Amino acid sequence: MSDASFLQALSVSKTYPGERVAGVKQISLNIQPQQITAIIGESGSGKSTLLRLLYGLLSPDEGRVYFKGERIWGPEEKLIPGHDAMKMVTQDTDGLNLFAKVWDNVAVLLPNTDVAAKRQRTEDVLRQLNIHKLADKQAFFLSGGEKQRVAIARALATRPEVLLLDEPFNQVDTSFREGLQQDIRQIVHDTGLTVIMVSHDPAEVLSMADELIVLKDGEVIEAGHPKALYQNPQNLYTARLLTNCNVLTREEAAQCGIDASSAEVVIYPEWANPTSSWTRKDWMVKQVLFKGNHEDLLVTKGDITLRLLNDEADRYKVGDKVHIKINKYLEF
Ligand code: ADP
Ligand code: MG
């Protein structure tokens, strides 16, 4: 569903006073409903600032934010900051009452006017977040990941239309993180929730987001579907955010057999294959990094080192001479 007027920023700027000009500049965007939009960018690129502007925790210096055609008011203009139809979850789970049970942490946010409805809603939300088995546990005894689930359950209890997530999974271990990401996708699918998340973890944004917005120095430099941005980024910055890619100068690329016309050439680790069957083996395996389900090979020729992905475990060892076949590259 395409809807230009769900959540819209129109030329929004916010600068912080200080030695260096910082903040976000002239950002215009349309957040589509009922899907996951991820905002990525290096540290200090303005991700949190943009999220706070969309929520109404910050007032823009210029420009406006609209939710369903109505202007979002900043903290100076509204008694309780933050739009009523939105909820935000960050890394800190300060909102939790550590002395209360998980159940009560969620239930306390719901009105007492209909006790049966309150009970049902609490139960439903705990199930959605897969923490119903923890209902009677005191929040104090939960792991970081479990606390984060309770924080999200609390945010969803009152059925917000938009959930804003500011790097909430940072403190959560990888194994736990993936389950939480899947559950959030499921909730979006089942309930039509709109999620806007900030992250700098490529694996997370690529697997979770329907739409990616790339921020650099406070400006949106590109946006699109994760697969499209990954396969065909318009900026070297984007490629670097999304993958651990090889960046070569034009001269270095020439030594790899690439006749480039731009200054920089990017080769993703999966775009080049080693082979030992060729007669011309002018690369040498410098390191083999075991990654569980694959290996990263560092191969060298002269001053050039390339990182390659190899899914045939134990095929190559340090010191092996190989031929490298480059299947795809990008120029910037
Ligand atoms: P990100 O979330 O991408 O790391 P932020 O939006 O937090 O970036 O910050 C963007 C820039 O604005 C950074 O350079 C940061 O130091 C600066 N900044 C953020 N908040 C403030 C503030 N309250 N006062 C001054 N500078 C700030
Ligand atoms: Mg931030």
Side-chain angles (χ1 to χ4, degrees):
M1 179 169 62
S2 175
D3 184 349
S5 59
F6 182 69
L7 179 56
Q8 190 176 32
L10 282 181
S11 205
V12 169
S13 298
K14 167 78 197 169
T15 38
Y16 299 109
E19 291 163 31
R20 217 174 58 90
V21 182
V24 297
K25 282 164 252 169
Q26 302 263 316
I27 291 189
S28 292
L29 47 84
N30 277 310
I31 302 288
Q32 299 300 325
Q34 308 188 354
Q35 63 173 36
I36 301 179
T37 301
I39 302 169
I40 56 167
E42 59 191 15
S43 179
S45 57
K47 304 181 296 293
S48 297
T49 303
L50 176 58
L51 209 61
R52 293 162 71 87
L53 286 164
L54 292 173
Y55 185 33
L57 281 188
L58 272 178
S59 293
D61 301 332
E62 283 166 44
R64 284 184 179 184
V65 181
Y66 293 93
F67 179 66
K68 294 182 171 174
E70 279 179 34
R71 185 167 166 206
I72 291 196
W73 299 100
E76 298 83 8
E77 299 134 330
K78 195 171 174 293
L79 195 58
I80 302 167
H83 194 282
D84 299 339
M86 305 188 201
K87 281 279 158 37
M88 180 143 138
V89 176
T90 63
Q91 280 176 47
D92 62 65
T93 43
D94 290 354
L96 294 195
N97 179 353
L98 296 179
F99 302 102
K101 289 176 181 174
V102 167
W103 177 278
D104 295 324
N105 262 289
V106 175
V108 71
L109 299 163
L110 297 164
N112 282 319
T113 39
D114 182 344
V115 176
K118 174 172 173 156
R119 202 188 159 75
Q120 187 63 51
R121 181 63 189 152
T122 305
E123 166 114 28
D124 288 349
V125 175
L126 293 185
R127 274 187 192 283
Q128 278 180 333
L129 268 308
N130 260 312
I131 45 174
H132 49 285
K133 293 204 179 82
L134 302 174
D136 291 327
K137 210 165 177 181
Q138 198 185 321
F140 182 82
F141 296 108
L142 301 179
S143 72
E146 290 166 344
K147 279 189 195 132
Q148 204 53 273
R149 282 182 180 263
V150 179
I152 295 172
R154 280 170 57 86
L156 295 182
T158 50
R159 301 177 198 273
E161 288 180 67
V162 182
L163 177 67
L164 303 144
L165 301 170
D166 194 347
E167 310 208 35
F169 311 134
N170 275 11
Q171 324 276 30
V172 182
D173 9 334
T174 327
S175 55
F176 211 96
R177 217 189 259 210
E178 202 157 290
L180 189 45
Q181 291 163 2
Q182 283 163 11
D183 290 343
I184 289 175
R185 276 219 69 89
Q186 193 64 43
I187 293 168
V188 169
H189 179 267
D190 293 347
T191 68
L193 177 72
T194 301
V195 172
I196 308 172
M197 58 183 282
V198 160
S199 174
H200 59 239
D201 175 0
E204 183 164 291
V205 295
L206 290 171
S207 66
M208 274 187 90
D210 300 295
E211 176 81 8
L212 279 185
I213 295 172
V214 184
L215 273 191
K216 183 180 185 218
D217 298 331
E219 289 179 90
V220 174
I221 59 162
E222 61 184 306
H225 189 272
K227 214 180 250 179
L229 285 199
Y230 183 86
Q231 284 167 353
N232 208 5
Q234 299 304 302
N235 299 275
L236 176 56
Y237 174 88
T238 306
R240 278 198 153 122
L241 280 178
L242 294 178
T243 172
N244 195 351
C245 54
N246 301 287
V247 183
L248 305 178
T249 63
R250 199 172 155 183
E251 293 71 34
E252 288 169 338
Q255 292 183 54
C256 302
I258 297 170
D259 180 20
S261 49
S262 314
E264 279 157 320
V265 172
V266 165
I267 303 167
Y268 290 7
E270 68 272 30
W271 290 349
N273 304 116
T275 148
S276 48
S277 59
W278 278 56
T279 43
R280 196 163 56 84
K281 294 178 217 162
D282 42 4
W283 291 82
M284 193 187 74
V285 177
K286 190 165 89 175
Q287 270 193 53
V288 180
L289 306 166
F290 179 61
K291 298 282 181 177
N293 56 1
H294 73 275
E295 291 171 349
D296 272 2
L297 299 182
L298 298 187
V299 296
T300 59
K301 176 161 91 172
D303 296 335
I304 308 170
T305 299
L306 288 182
R307 178 186 290 266
L308 309 181
L309 191 140
N310 173 42
D311 45 23
E312 293 172 83
D314 299 327
R315 166 110 192 241
Y316 301 99
K317 56 183 192 309
V318 173
D320 280 357
K321 298 281 195 185
V322 290
H323 176 76
I324 301 295
K325 184 166 173 284
I326 296 168
N327 304 307
K328 180 178 171 183
Y329 61 90
L330 298 170
E331 292 189 44
F332 294 99

